[in-house]
C-alpha cells in the first residue's frame, strides 16, 4: 500500500469521528463526495438487480436478462446497466468518473489500468467489507481515487461469471468480492 | 487523560461482560459512519454474542458492515425498525435459509457460506441484532 493510500485511509477514519468537515469555503471532502456518489450507484444497482433481474427474470420469469440483450430481446445485465450509466456520465462531466473493474474481468476493458486501481482492487479483495481510498497522479493531474467492493449477492451473479466462456476465474460463490466500483475525482481546479 | 478514558471504557464494558449492562451503546440511527467491523463495537454481554461477532465479521460484514447491496447496516436502528418486531427466531431463520421479499429483496442462505452451522448463523444474527437496536431480543432464549 502506498503512503498516500494509507494517509487517505487514516484521514477517512479521522473524518468518521468528526462532524461533516465541509464549509462553503472548503467544499466537501473528496472522500465524502465519493461516498455519496457510491451510495447512489449502489442503491440504483441494487434496485435494478433485485426488482428487475431477481424479480422479473429469476422469480416471475417474465423476461430474460442477457449479455446480448438486443439480439435476445432481453434486459441488460446489471453490470451492463452500470457501464452504460458511467459512459453517459463521462459524456456529461469531467468532475468525476466511475467504472466497474475486476482483477478477473470477463471483458478485458474492465481490468485495472493504473497502479492504484490494481492496489485498490487487491485491497478490497483481501479486506472484505472495506473500501479503499488513495490519491494518484495521472498525466500531471492529481486525483482522489476510491474503490468500493462489488459482491456476488445472489447465486446468479456467481454462476453467470463462473460459467462465462471468457471468465478467468470459475470459483466465485455468493458473498465473494468479484470486483470493485472505482470512483475518481480530480483534485486540481 | 487518554489512559483514564480508555480505562473507564474498559471498566464499563468489563461489567458489561459480566452481565451488569445488557444494552448496546446508542448509535446514530443510520449507524456508525463508514464500514462497521466487529472490532469497532463494544464486546457484547454474552459468550454466544461474542462468538457471533467473530462469525459476523468473517461472513456478514461485507454487506451489513457498510450497508451495501440493500443489506440493513449494523448499528443503523432505522433500517432494523421493521425487522426487529418479527422476533429473533424469524430473523435467525431468514439468515439460515435465505429470504426473499415480493419486491425482490434477497438475503442469501448463510450469507453464501454453506459451511456455517445453524448455531453459528444464530450467533452472528444475535450479535448484529444486539448492536442494531434489538439488544433485548438478541438475548432472548439465552441463559
Amino acid at each position: 500500500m502506498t503512503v498516500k493510500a494509507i494517509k487517505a485511509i487514516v484521514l477517512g477514519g479521522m473524518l468518521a469521528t468528526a462532524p461533516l468537515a465541509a464549509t462553503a469555503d472548503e467544499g466537501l471532502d473528496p472522500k465524502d463526495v465519493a461516498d455519496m456518489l457510491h451510495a447512489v450507484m449502489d442503491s440504483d444497482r441494487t434496485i435494478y438487480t433485485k426488482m428487475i433481474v431477481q424479480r422479473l427474470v429469476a422469480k416471475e420469469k417474465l423476461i430474460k436478462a442477457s449479455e446480448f440483450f438486443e439480439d435476445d430481446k432481453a434486459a441488460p445485465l446489471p453490470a451492463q446497466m452500470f457501464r452504460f450509466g458511467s459512459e453517459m456520465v463521462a459524456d456529461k462531466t469531467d468532475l468525476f468518473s466511475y467504472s466497474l473493474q475486476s482483477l478477473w474481468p470477463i471483458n478485458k476493458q474492465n481490468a485495472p489500468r493504473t497502479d492504484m486501481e490494481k492496489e485498490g482492487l487487491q485491497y478490497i479483495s483481501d479486506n472484505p467489507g472495506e473500501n479503499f481510498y488513495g490519491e494518484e497522479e495521472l498525466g500531471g493531474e492529481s486525483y482522489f481515487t476510491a474503490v468500493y467492493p462489488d459482491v456476488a449477492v445472489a447465486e446468479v451473479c456467481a454462476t453467470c461469471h463462473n460459467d462465462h466462456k471468457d471468465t478467468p476465474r470459475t470459483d466465485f460463490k455468493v458473498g465473494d468480492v468479484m470486483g470493485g466500483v472505482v470512483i475518481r475525482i480530480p483534485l486540481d481546479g | 487523560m487518554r489512559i483514564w478514558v480508555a480505562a473507564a471504557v474498559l471498566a464499563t464494558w468489563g461489567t458489561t461482560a459480566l452481565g451488569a449492562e445488557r444494552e448496546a451503546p446508542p448509535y446514530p440511527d443510520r449507524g456508525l459512519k463508514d464500514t462497521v467491523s466487529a472490532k469497532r463495537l463494544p464486546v457484547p454481554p454474552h459468550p454466544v454474542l461474542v462468538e457471533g461477532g467473530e462469525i459476523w465479521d468473517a461472513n456478514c460484514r461485507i454487506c451489513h458492515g457498510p450497508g451495501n447491496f440493500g443489506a440493513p447496516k449494523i448499528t443503523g436502528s432505522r433500517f432494523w425498525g421493521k425487522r426487529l418486531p418479527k422476533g429473533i427466531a424469524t430473523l435467525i431463520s431468514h439468515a439460515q435459509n435465505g429470504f426473499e421479499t415480493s419486491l425482490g429483496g434477497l438475503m442469501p442462505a448463510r450469507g453464501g457460506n454453506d459451511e456455517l452451522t445453524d448455531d453459528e448463523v444464530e450467533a452472528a444474527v444475535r450479535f448484529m441484532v444486539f448492536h442494531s437496536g434489538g439488544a433485548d431480543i438478541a438475548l432472548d432464549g439465552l441463559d
Side-chain angles (χ1 to χ4, degrees), chain A residues 12 15-16 31-32 35 38 42 46 50-51 54-55 59 127-131 133 149-151 153-154 173-175 177, chain B residues 33-37 40 57-58 61-63 65-71 100-108 111-113:
Chain A
L15 287 172
K31 174 183 176 295
D32 288 325
D35 285 352
H38 179 254
D42 173 71
T46 299
K50 287 184 174 181
M51 298 190 68
Q54 186 71 13
R55 184 172 70 98
K59 190 177 178 68
N127 300 275
E130 298 294 328
N131 306 325
Y133 304 99
D150 195 56
V151 175
V153 293
K173 59 184 186 305
V174 173
V177 174
Chain B
K33 194 173 187 325
D34 294 327
T35 297
V36 180
S37 61
R40 289 182 63 189
D57 226 28
R61 178 170 66 116
I62 195 164
C63 293
N68 282 343
F69 320 113
E100 291 185 20
T101 70
S102 58
L103 293 178
L106 55 95
M107 163 68 206
N113 184 353

Side-chain angles (χ1 to χ4, degrees), chain B residues 15-29:
Chain B
T15 57
T16 296
L18 294 173
E21 175 62 71
R22 295 171 71 85
E23 291 292 326
Y27 302 114
D29 73 337

Side-chain angles (χ1 to χ4, degrees), chain B residues 78-100:
Chain B
R78 67 183 292 147
F79 310 118
W80 290 88
K82 292 181 181 175
R83 295 173 167 92
L84 296 181
K86 296 177 180 176
I88 194 68
T90 299
L91 297 175
I92 291 168
S93 173
H94 286 172
Q96 289 170 340
N97 304 309
F99 179 63
E100 291 185 20

Side-chain angles (χ1 to χ4, degrees), chain A residues 45 48-49 53 64-72 74-88 98-100 106-107 109-110 150 160-161 164:
Chain A
R45 188 146 191 262
Y48 181 76
T49 301
V53 178
K64 292 189 297 183
S66 167
E67 177 183 2
F68 309 104
F69 56 89
E70 288 180 307
D71 290 343
D72 292 345
L77 300 174
Q80 292 176 305
M81 285 290 288
F82 193 85
R83 196 180 78 233
F84 297 151
S86 73
E87 290 170 352
M88 186 173 285
Y98 68 96
S99 57
L100 187 59
I106 288 175
N107 185 336
Q109 74 179 42
N110 296 329
D150 195 56
C160 186
H161 275 254
H164 197 284

